[in-house]
Amino acid sequence: MASQLSSLATLLLLGSFLAPVSSSDIPAQAQLIDQRAFNVLDTTQPPSEFNAKSPFVPPGSTGESLAQQPFHVYDKEFLKIIGEAPTLTRIAHSPKDPLFHEAVVWSKETDEVFFVQNAGAKNASTGLEKSAIIERISLADAAAVSQKSDAVGLVDVTTVPSSPMVLNPNGGTNYRGQIIFAGEGQGDNEPPALWVMNPKSPFNTTVILNNYFGRQFNSLNDVAIHPKNKDIYFTDTIYGYVQDFRPAPGLQDQVYRFNPDTGAVTVVADGFDHPNGLTFSPNGNYAYVADTGIDSGFFGFDFTRPASIYRFDVKADGTFENRKTFAFVHSGAPDGIHCDSWGNVYAGCGDGVHVWNPSGKLIGKIYLGSGTANFNFAGKGRMVICAETDLYYATLAAAGSYVDSEM
């Protein structure tokens, strides 16, 4: 009898877990996406017509309807993340220049978010012509307009006069009370480097690494601090070359580890096409590396190459092992990646921000209908999203996995 009751309880619990999401559970700015509706389609197009550059619109939806309720619930786990009343507000727009690209970093002390312009984009005239710039916004200004869907012109976007100027910054993160940027370099003689910048005036900068035993890196892309050992990990790839502002690569694309106290620089992972975004789980047990091999910049797309996130175990000594495929992105490629405090994984993709649970199941999207190179949490319940010519502010229930790297 006891075993029967135990089995009944298990079935009830399982039934509750598997129960479909009710429309009454969905916040006003969210919508349920039922994947069963497109498991079998009446017509599927060949790869030359529909591929990773094509927007996917589920049956019964339109591009407009997807954008009107931008929080897309693929699994009820996503409801915990977005909370009861998520919002998405466009707070800035640039007609042509992709001013809102990468290196989204929250300065906790000033309650501002920093980000950078696209380096090497033709419409930005960056690369060899001029370096990409660093910009910032006040989160108080963004919060004041968060109930609007479009608040362009109501939030000031300020250029940051870093000194000396960070050359073509791309990735960024908090570091010992300051911000560390992965700079892509410029031309033959200005090498890629790790720059540390004071987030307050006069925004003074210092280069802390610019070579691997005398050899120039290719084009540093992203940077993250391990939450336990506090070492600096960064990706190096070819995007400066395929965007015409760096020479042909002299090293294979790799992920590196740098201990600034000892000066030791080591390789922790290779075997990528183009390693890009990098982050760690909140407990530091896993490293996530995005591979955007599908996109070779001005050389075009190869849809047979990776648009993938790989997960590594991080050993107690800080090295990586046991690489596995965590996720493959169906729209564009995963660029910037971050974890929330619960260990869910977020990535900027071809139509917005995709969210996976720790097992690699897609549970939701913050849908923009356009490419998202990077984004980041600003503490609990706030997120800033860069979408090249548009900048967004979102409110939700989740909190970022903030690493305090003070030592």
Side-chain angles (χ1 to χ4, degrees):
M1 184 66 176
S3 62
Q4 291 177 334
L5 290 173
S6 176
S7 298
L8 178 60
T10 300
L11 287 171
L12 288 172
L13 178 62
L14 183 61
S16 174
F17 180 76
L18 296 176
V21 180
S22 167
S23 58
S24 62
D25 298 329
I26 305 298
Q29 292 298 309
Q31 59 180 295
L32 177 65
I33 304 295
D34 186 352
Q35 295 186 75
R36 294 170 298 183
F38 53 86
N39 289 155
V40 179
L41 296 172
D42 293 335
T43 303
T44 60
Q45 297 170 299
S48 60
E49 297 178 32
F50 190 90
N51 48 54
K53 296 175 69 176
S54 309
F56 176 63
V57 179
S61 300
T62 65
E64 183 179 357
S65 70
L66 291 176
Q68 283 178 344
Q69 295 168 296
F71 296 88
H72 294 181
V73 181
Y74 280 75
D75 187 280
K76 69 177 185 179
E77 292 180 52
F78 195 52
L79 295 174
K80 177 183 177 182
I81 288 171
I82 61 177
E84 296 180 354
T87 63
L88 180 68
T89 306
R90 189 174 73 149
I91 57 174
H93 174 71
S94 171
K96 187 176 180 181
D97 185 352
L99 287 171
F100 319 113
H101 178 59
E102 276 266 24
V104 187
V105 182
W106 174 46
S107 172
K108 189 175 182 179
E109 185 177 356
T110 65
D111 205 29
E112 296 172 316
V113 165
F114 292 74
F115 46 88
V116 303
Q117 179 187 28
N118 193 324
K122 290 181 178 179
N123 284 336
S125 300
T126 48
L128 279 174
E129 299 301 320
K130 66 181 180 70
S131 174
I133 59 173
I134 302 170
E135 302 154 286
R136 60 178 172 146
I137 60 166
S138 161
L139 284 167
D141 290 349
V145 297
S146 62
Q147 295 306 310
K148 299 177 180 289
S149 61
D150 198 313
V152 172
L154 301 180
V155 176
D156 289 335
V157 178
T158 305
T159 298
V160 176
S162 59
S163 180
M165 186 177 186
V166 179
L167 288 178
N168 289 318
N170 191 79
T173 193
N174 301 100
Y175 178 67
R176 298 183 178 182
Q178 301 188 82
I179 297 174
I180 187 168
F181 288 106
E184 296 187 88
Q186 192 172 50
D188 289 349
N189 300 317
E190 297 290 349
L194 292 177
W195 300 71
V196 175
M197 186 189 80
N198 181 353
K200 296 182 292 186
S201 182
F203 306 105
N204 47 298
T205 64
T206 303
V207 173
I208 60 171
L209 180 70
N210 70 355
N211 73 94
Y212 182 72
F213 295 92
R215 298 169 68 178
Q216 287 190 5
F217 294 108
N218 297 329
S219 182
L220 300 192
N221 192 278
D222 204 3
V223 58
I225 309 300
H226 189 270
K228 290 184 178 177
N229 65 37
K230 306 300 174 68
D231 281 357
I232 302 167
Y233 293 73
F234 59 94
T235 56
D236 184 40
T237 188
I238 68 167
Y239 281 115
Y241 169 62
V242 301
Q243 290 185 295
D244 289 344
F245 65 90
R246 284 284 295 147
L251 294 166
Q252 67 171 329
D253 289 356
Q254 302 180 123
V255 182
Y256 294 83
R257 176 189 184 186
F258 175 46
N259 183 316
D261 297 321
T262 67
V265 183
T266 54
V267 175
V268 292
D270 62 11
F272 303 94
D273 276 30
H274 306 326
N276 200 310
L278 169 66
T279 197
F280 294 99
S281 61
N283 59 14
N285 291 345
Y286 299 120
Y288 297 93
V289 182
D291 190 335
T292 50
I294 191 174
D295 183 359
S296 289
F298 297 156
F299 290 98
F301 280 72
D302 181 345
F303 299 114
T304 68
R305 306 312 302 167
S308 307
I309 299 172
Y310 298 104
R311 192 185 80 183
F312 296 83
D313 294 338
V314 182
K315 297 176 65 177
D317 64 2
T319 57
F320 291 3
E321 65 177 4
N322 299 331
R323 165 176 160 153
K324 66 166 289 185
T325 301
F326 175 78
F328 179 79
V329 170
H330 64 268
S331 177
D335 199 326
I337 56 177
H338 301 283
C339 286
D340 65 25
S341 59
W342 296 315
N344 299 298
V345 181
Y346 302 59
C349 301
D351 56 2
V353 178
H354 293 196
V355 185
W356 297 265
N357 71 4
S359 71
K361 177 175 64 175
L362 180 70
I363 59 175
K365 294 182 183 180
I366 304 174
Y367 181 84
L368 304 180
S370 62
T372 305
N374 214 329
F375 62 96
N376 210 342
F377 285 94
K380 180 176 174 57
R382 306 181 299 182
M383 179 183 286
V384 173
I385 304 171
C386 282
E388 302 304 321
T389 55
D390 289 302
L391 184 68
Y392 292 87
Y393 176 74
T395 64
L396 63 173
S401 179
Y402 181 81
V403 177
D404 182 0
S405 58
E406 294 283 356
M407 296 181 67

